Structures are given as structure tokens and as C-alpha cells.
Amino acid sequence: MKNLVDCINKGLAFFTLCLSTFLVFCVTWQVVSRYVLGTPSTVTDELARYLFMWVAMIGAAYTTGQHRHLAIDLLMMKLKGTGKNIVGLVIQAAVALFAAVVLVYGGSVLAISTLENGQITPALGLQMGYVYLCLPISGVLMIFYVLADIVSLIQNFSGKDTAVSESH
């Protein structure tokens, strides 16, 4: 499981880095074309918005896997042993429920209905459903990381010391 988590981590890090780099190039070109050339590029303006959505959502999934997301962990810091593991399981279950309902289900409904309606972006001519696919993809990745953490917590209950959550 740890090898799979590490592989997904590396892939997401690379993908997010590539998207971020491309986003910086788009925004830089937008600034140059607007203020230096005097003719703003509508394509890079729109592309930057959609790239930002993908960077934010895929980056959120990556951050979830790295345990670097925003969290209030006062209770977790005070607990030890079984109590800490139980609270950890409850937290992971809540994250999984949110990711499943809001991101996977809601994002899938949004992407599919937008694809069916044929909504197209004005400058790029892309179907908006493809832009919205970042939501369910991010949700599936978050659920993957949550399941890896749940496996680790369950192994902690049984006394095995193979903490997936500590290693990624």
C-alpha cells in the first residue's frame, strides 16, 4: 500500500507542478500581451482560470495525502492510544463522506450534465464538463488517501507499526 501511495504522490506532485508552471506562463503572457502589446489574449485569460481550478482541486487532493491541509488538531494532540485512533477514524470518515458526496457525486453530476448540455467555453471552445472533471477526480484521489489512512489506523489498533499516514 505504501508503494502505491508513494507512486500516486509522485504522480500528483509532477502533474500539479506541470499545471502550475503552465498557469504561470499563461498569466505572464496575459500580462505581456495586455500591458506591453496592448492587445490582451482572451485565450490565455480563460485558460488561466480553468488551470487554476485544476491546480486548486488536484493540489487539494495532493495536500490531503501529504497531511498538510488546514486542520484544527487540538483534540488529536491531547489524545493518545486508542482514543486518538478512534477520533482519527471519525475524522477520516467525515473527510471521505464529504469527498464522496460533494466532490465525486456532485462533481460528477455537474460534469455529466454540462457535457450533456453541450456548454462550451467562449474563447477555447472546450466543453465545460471537461473543466469540471477536476472535482470528481480530486474527490476520488482524496478518498484513496483517506482509505490508506484508515488502513493505517486499523493496523494501529491491531498493534502493527506500519503507519501509512506517517510516511507520506
Side-chain angles (χ1 to χ4, degrees), residues 29-143:
W29 175 249
Q30 179 65 22
V31 170
V32 169
S33 68
R34 180 177 303 241
Y35 294 109
V36 175
L37 304 176
T39 55
S41 171
T42 56
V43 172
T44 55
D45 178 47
E46 187 173 280
L47 185 58
R49 274 185 268 141
Y50 303 142
L51 282 172
F52 185 74
M53 288 173 58
W54 274 82
V55 167
M57 295 310 300
I58 301 302
Y62 176 71
T63 303
T64 299
Q66 296 294 308
H67 298 109
R68 295 186 179 164
H69 54 284
L70 180 63
I72 301 172
D73 58 355
L74 295 173
L75 182 60
M76 289 293 284
M77 290 180 358
K78 292 187 185 269
L79 294 175
K80 296 197 184 322
T82 305
K84 186 173 187 173
N85 285 338
I86 290 171
V87 170
L89 282 173
V90 170
I91 290 170
Q92 294 300 334
V95 171
L97 181 65
F98 174 83
V101 172
V102 174
L103 296 175
V104 176
Y105 175 74
S108 296
V109 168
L110 176 64
I112 290 168
S113 65
T114 307
L115 285 170
E116 288 173 350
N117 292 336
Q119 182 182 354
I120 295 180
T121 63
L124 295 171
L126 290 173
Q127 287 202 1
M128 279 300 294
Y130 295 130
V131 175
Y132 295 143
L133 278 177
C134 64
L135 297 168
I137 291 171
S138 175
V140 167
L141 290 167
M142 286 181 188
I143 291 170

